[in-house]
Amino acid sequence: MNNTHRTIAIVCGGDSSEHDVSLRSAQGLYSFFDKQRYNVYVVDIKGNDWHVNLHDGTTSKIDRNDFSFVEDGKKKHFDYAYITIHGTPGENGILQGYFELMDIPYSTSGVLVEALTFDKFVLNQYLRSYGVSVAESLLIRRGQEHLVSDDDIMTRIGMPCFVKPANDGSSFGVSKVKNIDQLAPAVRKAMMESDEVMVEQYLNGVEVTMGCYKTKDKTVLLPATEVVTSNEFFDYDAKYNGQVDEITPARIPEETAQRVAQITSAIYDILHCNGIIRIDYILTKNSEGGYKINMLEVNTTPGMTATSFIPQQVRAAGLEMSQVLTDIVENQF
């Protein structure tokens, strides 16, 4: 492993409703990185405003022609980009394409994988073809709402159901719909976040989430976390305002935990992921009393605050976040 003192950009911000959440993840990552090994900077992007936070408390404009900046009168370049933008443009392939053009290695999966995982409906249909169990869903596009009738939804999806943006990073715009009268307002709410809306079957079960990363040398599957909330579902308040119990490791049978790990590893390979991902599941009881594992979502830029799932799982596994980040960065050199 090369011990070069690399310069790392933690790229945060973005143009979605999760801009501020991303800034919190960047601060978490900054605290985790090994500063003896890396020169670490936080780069905040929003629209055309790209700037780097310098160590003296000032900022410097990023030159987007080569992703460089000026500090102390000298032009500096980054060796690596750790992307922690939740939503566009960091979670849908756009920023990945930019870094490909700049020939700068980055922490997430590639352009196609990011675009695929960002579109929840398309991802579900794709992974279903590999035998992954997912909830039934329908897609409603802006301007084509008339193509999906209430009867279609009642027949194919049923009530209650979830209405959520098909292209978005988190819990903004998500509604749990209990009757048909609530459907149209829920669709309008979701379309404030995305031009495509997914109506998804409600699955009653245990919600768990598991992190995973792979390098040339090893596969690391983190302990599953059980997500318990008294809210209607794991919404924004549950996720970011503490209205949830997060239990790591999850209170599920060891055999079930092993199957979740096997499916997580398989999905990582099917998608040809890079860096650390987190996959959310609902475990429903089958006719034999065991658990059926249903995939909900693949998160390719999972939250990285001190209390986020991945750091929790890393601690539960007896690992150090600084070493995990070093593994992920050095895997590409």
Side-chain angles (χ1 to χ4, degrees):
M1 189 178 283
N2 193 324
N3 286 313
T4 304
H5 214 66
R6 309 189 198 283
T7 300
I8 307 290
I10 300 173
V11 186
C12 64
D15 302 318
S16 78
S17 300
E18 293 185 274
H19 178 275
D20 292 350
V21 176
S22 172
L23 301 187
R24 303 211 300 261
S25 283
Q27 291 306 313
L29 284 163
Y30 187 86
S31 72
F32 297 141
F33 262 106
D34 183 350
K35 310 303 191 307
Q36 300 301 311
R37 187 182 187 108
Y38 300 114
N39 299 314
V40 186
Y41 295 83
V42 173
V43 174
D44 187 347
I45 73 175
K46 185 173 179 64
N48 292 324
D49 177 17
W50 293 30
H51 63 267
V52 57
N53 298 325
L54 302 179
H55 298 139
D56 64 1
T58 64
T59 65
S60 178
K61 183 180 175 64
I62 292 287
D63 183 346
R64 289 185 289 165
N65 292 300
D66 58 4
F67 199 59
S68 66
F69 65 103
V70 174
E71 185 176 31
D72 297 329
K74 297 178 182 177
K75 186 168 185 173
K76 296 187 176 182
H77 293 84
F78 290 107
D79 300 304
Y80 185 91
Y82 198 103
I83 301 171
T84 189
I85 291 175
H86 313 308
T88 190
E91 204 171 9
N92 57 2
I94 293 174
L95 200 56
Q96 287 76 10
Y98 168 79
F99 286 126
E100 293 281 353
L101 291 171
M102 295 297 105
D103 197 26
I104 297 172
Y106 53 87
S107 59
T108 68
S109 306
V111 174
L112 175 62
V113 177
E114 292 299 315
L116 180 63
T117 54
F118 193 64
D119 190 315
K120 299 180 181 74
F121 182 80
V122 173
L123 176 69
N124 281 10
Q125 309 319 307
Y126 181 72
L127 289 178
R128 190 198 299 269
S129 72
Y130 282 89
V132 176
S133 177
V134 296
E136 289 293 331
S137 59
L138 286 170
L139 188 68
I140 301 175
R141 290 191 171 98
R142 188 186 303 278
Q144 299 180 352
E145 292 90 343
H146 62 282
L147 296 179
V148 179
S149 69
D150 290 352
D151 286 344
D152 291 334
I153 292 170
M154 288 299 295
T155 301
R156 291 188 49 185
I157 308 300
M159 293 286 164
C161 65
F162 283 107
V163 175
K164 59 180 72 172
N167 296 285
D168 191 37
S170 186
S171 300
F172 288 98
V174 181
S175 301
K176 184 177 180 181
V177 173
K178 297 180 180 179
N179 60 66
I180 209 71
D181 294 336
Q182 298 174 343
L183 190 59
V187 170
R188 287 195 296 270
K189 177 181 175 182
M191 281 193 176
M192 293 176 68
E193 303 290 335
S194 170
D195 286 337
E196 295 186 341
V197 171
M198 184 164 72
V199 182
E200 187 177 54
Q201 175 190 17
Y202 168 70
L203 298 176
N204 185 24
V206 179
E207 183 164 355
V208 300
T209 186
M210 178 176 284
C212 172
Y213 74 93
K214 300 190 181 191
T215 68
K216 301 180 191 77
D217 306 317
K218 62 185 176 182
T219 294
V220 178
L221 287 150
L222 299 172
T225 298
E226 181 180 348
V227 183
V228 182
T229 178
S230 58
N231 297 6
E232 281 284 358
F233 60 97
F234 189 47
D235 59 8
Y236 182 88
D237 282 332
K239 186 172 290 188
Y240 298 119
N241 293 330
Q243 297 174 13
V244 66
D245 289 324
E246 299 166 2
I247 303 161
T248 309
R251 300 168 300 180
I252 56 177
E254 179 60 28
E255 176 271 336
T256 304
Q258 289 176 2
R259 285 197 293 129
V260 171
Q262 289 167 356
I263 293 170
T264 300
S265 180
I267 291 173
Y268 194 104
D269 292 341
I270 289 166
L271 296 175
H272 195 54
C273 290
N274 176 61
I276 195 158
I277 69 168
R278 199 192 80 233
I279 305 183
D280 302 338
Y281 301 93
I282 289 284
L283 311 182
T284 54
K285 285 293 183 74
N286 58 30
S287 56
E288 289 80 39
Y291 281 115
K292 180 181 181 182
I293 300 168
N294 308 279
M295 190 216 72
L296 289 180
E297 187 174 347
V298 177
N299 301 276
T300 58
T301 59
M304 284 292 181
T305 69
T307 58
S308 295
F309 288 123
I310 293 296
Q312 284 184 51
Q313 293 176 6
V314 166
R315 288 192 296 270
L319 304 174
E320 294 291 335
M321 276 299 303
S322 61
Q323 185 57 53
V324 169
L325 295 177
T326 297
D327 286 347
I328 289 169
V329 172
E330 295 303 321
N331 188 54
Q332 290 176 261
F333 293 97

